[in-house]
Amino acid sequence: MKIRKAVITAAGLGTRVLPASKAMPKEMIPIVDKPAIQYIVEECVKTGITDILIILSRGKHVVEDHFDRSPDLEKRLSESGKDDVLKEMINIAHMANLTYVRQQEQLGLGHAVLCAENFVGDEPFAVLYGDDVIIGEDPAIAQLCRAYDRYEKGIVGIREVPTEDVMRYSSMKVEKLDDTCYGISDMIEKPKPEQIFSNYSILGRCVLPPEIFGILKTIPKGANNELQLTDAMKILANSEGMIGVDFTGNRYDMGNKLGILKAAIDIGLSRPDLKDELAQYIKLKAEELG
Ligand code: UTP
């Protein structure tokens, strides 16, 4: 596999999930018993990517603490014979080679990616949005990395979404190549109804060539007065073309209150220790709701 490095963007303000995100990063909101960002780091590790840069901002040092050793906690767990939990805690700190950089002002996703330039250097790299958790047998970013190996072009993870979501996310001009891959010749961030190319939107994952940094430095601010990654990718799509991968897996938007609730239910139901009691509770609630 040609992709060795990943960038996880986790510097946003998370205004849609306030007050949860007031003092705690939304990327640390737990799904059952694990913070969202740990699922994303695990997705990279399962894919074989172990060099990971996390883009953070003021007040987000708890993300660094989470992936660090915790001597007091480890001592207590060891003394009380909780060896399994102890092992799990130590493993979190050794999962990957993690580094961090601060985005000093929240000027948009494009600006956050630009903060990764030194880390990335001159090679293609993966980008994972820190609030988009995707759970599946075949890691979503692995599906994109395989497409990169095949096509050697910028890759975006796409899905067909309802029109109201297209207007909140982005719209892709697509041409089907095979069962899962599409050629992309144009795209637009947060389109108005008359600007929609298709209902395919980018959802949370891409693989980009290092040329993206040069493009990000030249484009103006876009939607919401932020430096938009989609605007930079549009230039790539217009010139050399990009590839969209309609990836498999369940996606949970942790930057959205309903997404957080859906994630808790689905992942709770997939845990052998919780499944039965949770299912019973959900059935009871369903009866109450009629
Ligand atoms: P979002 O647009 O969902 O993040 O960006 P946001 O700005 O935190 O959201 P709201 O609208 O205020 O609720 C997608 C990803 O990009 C990161 C976010 O942390 C999220 O993981 N991001 C966004 C940055 O790292 N920096 C930014 O300036 C903006």
Side-chain angles (χ1 to χ4, degrees):
M1 189 176 76
K2 298 191 179 86
I3 306 300
R4 301 184 312 121
K5 294 181 179 175
V7 174
I8 302 177
T9 56
L13 294 174
T15 55
R16 284 168 298 145
V17 289
L18 282 168
S21 53
K22 186 168 177 234
M24 179 184 71
K26 64 176 165 179
E27 293 79 7
M28 286 298 289
I29 293 175
I31 307 178
V32 184
D33 52 6
K34 251 194 265 180
I37 197 161
Q38 189 180 328
Y39 290 90
I40 297 175
V41 170
E42 287 172 355
E43 183 186 331
C44 292
V45 173
K46 278 187 213 145
T47 300
I49 302 174
T50 50
D51 276 15
I52 302 170
L53 176 76
I54 304 184
I55 315 283
L56 296 175
S57 54
R58 183 176 299 277
K60 297 212 178 191
H61 50 271
V62 287
V63 174
E64 293 179 59
D65 291 345
H66 181 74
F67 292 105
D68 198 359
R69 292 291 292 267
S70 178
D72 291 347
L73 175 68
E74 289 169 19
K75 189 162 168 275
R76 176 66 66 87
L77 291 170
S78 164
E79 282 164 3
S80 51
K82 294 185 172 156
D83 293 340
D84 287 353
V85 193
L86 174 64
K87 209 170 139 209
E88 193 186 341
M89 293 308 106
I90 295 174
N91 280 348
I92 291 173
H94 292 144
M95 244 183 329
N97 180 14
L98 291 171
T99 46
Y100 306 89
V101 70
R102 266 198 182 200
Q103 184 192 19
Q104 295 189 333
E105 280 181 278
Q106 279 50 73
L107 300 177
L109 182 60
H111 182 259
V113 169
L114 202 44
C115 296
E117 189 177 11
N118 280 343
F119 164 82
V120 167
D122 193 23
E123 57 183 295
F125 63 105
V127 177
L128 300 93
Y129 304 1
D131 56 354
D132 256 324
V133 172
I134 302 171
I135 306 287
E137 279 287 300
D138 186 9
I141 200 65
Q143 299 173 47
L144 270 66
C145 288
R146 290 199 299 270
Y148 183 85
D149 286 348
R150 182 164 167 210
Y151 292 100
E152 301 228 336
K153 282 184 179 179
I155 313 286
V156 283
I158 56 169
R159 280 273 176 86
E160 255 183 318
V161 298
T163 303
E164 56 273 24
D165 286 348
V166 173
M167 287 158 68
R168 289 195 289 129
Y169 302 148
S170 56
S171 175
M172 305 291 111
K173 189 170 181 184
V174 294
E175 186 194 327
K176 199 167 172 55
L177 298 176
D178 59 41
D179 276 356
T180 53
C181 291
Y182 293 77
I184 295 181
S185 53
D186 208 352
M187 62 177 75
I188 180 167
E189 178 76 12
K190 300 189 185 9
K192 298 191 180 81
E194 66 275 14
Q195 296 173 311
I196 292 176
F197 294 119
S198 76
N199 278 40
Y200 280 101
S201 270
I202 301 175
L203 294 181
R205 302 287 182 270
C206 23
V207 172
L208 296 169
E211 289 73 37
I212 201 76
F213 296 115
I215 301 174
L216 281 166
K217 284 178 199 161
T218 56
I219 57 168
K221 286 181 182 171
N224 295 346
N225 204 27
E226 291 182 342
L227 193 60
Q228 296 289 353
L229 184 60
T230 309
D231 293 345
M233 292 195 290
K234 173 191 165 70
I235 293 178
L236 272 187
N238 288 163
S239 55
E240 56 203 59
M242 289 187 78
I243 301 293
V245 175
D246 191 350
F247 58 87
T248 57
N250 294 329
R251 171 192 174 253
Y252 304 101
D253 179 2
M254 297 298 288
N256 170 303
K257 291 172 196 182
L258 194 60
I260 297 172
L261 292 170
K262 287 180 182 171
I265 293 171
D266 282 5
I267 295 177
L269 286 172
S270 75
R271 293 281 169 90
D273 55 332
L274 295 167
K275 193 173 86 184
D276 293 342
E277 279 181 80
L278 181 61
Q280 227 173 10
Y281 181 71
I282 292 170
K283 282 180 197 156
L284 193 76
K285 282 283 143 192
E287 270 172 37
E288 274 175 34
L289 291 168

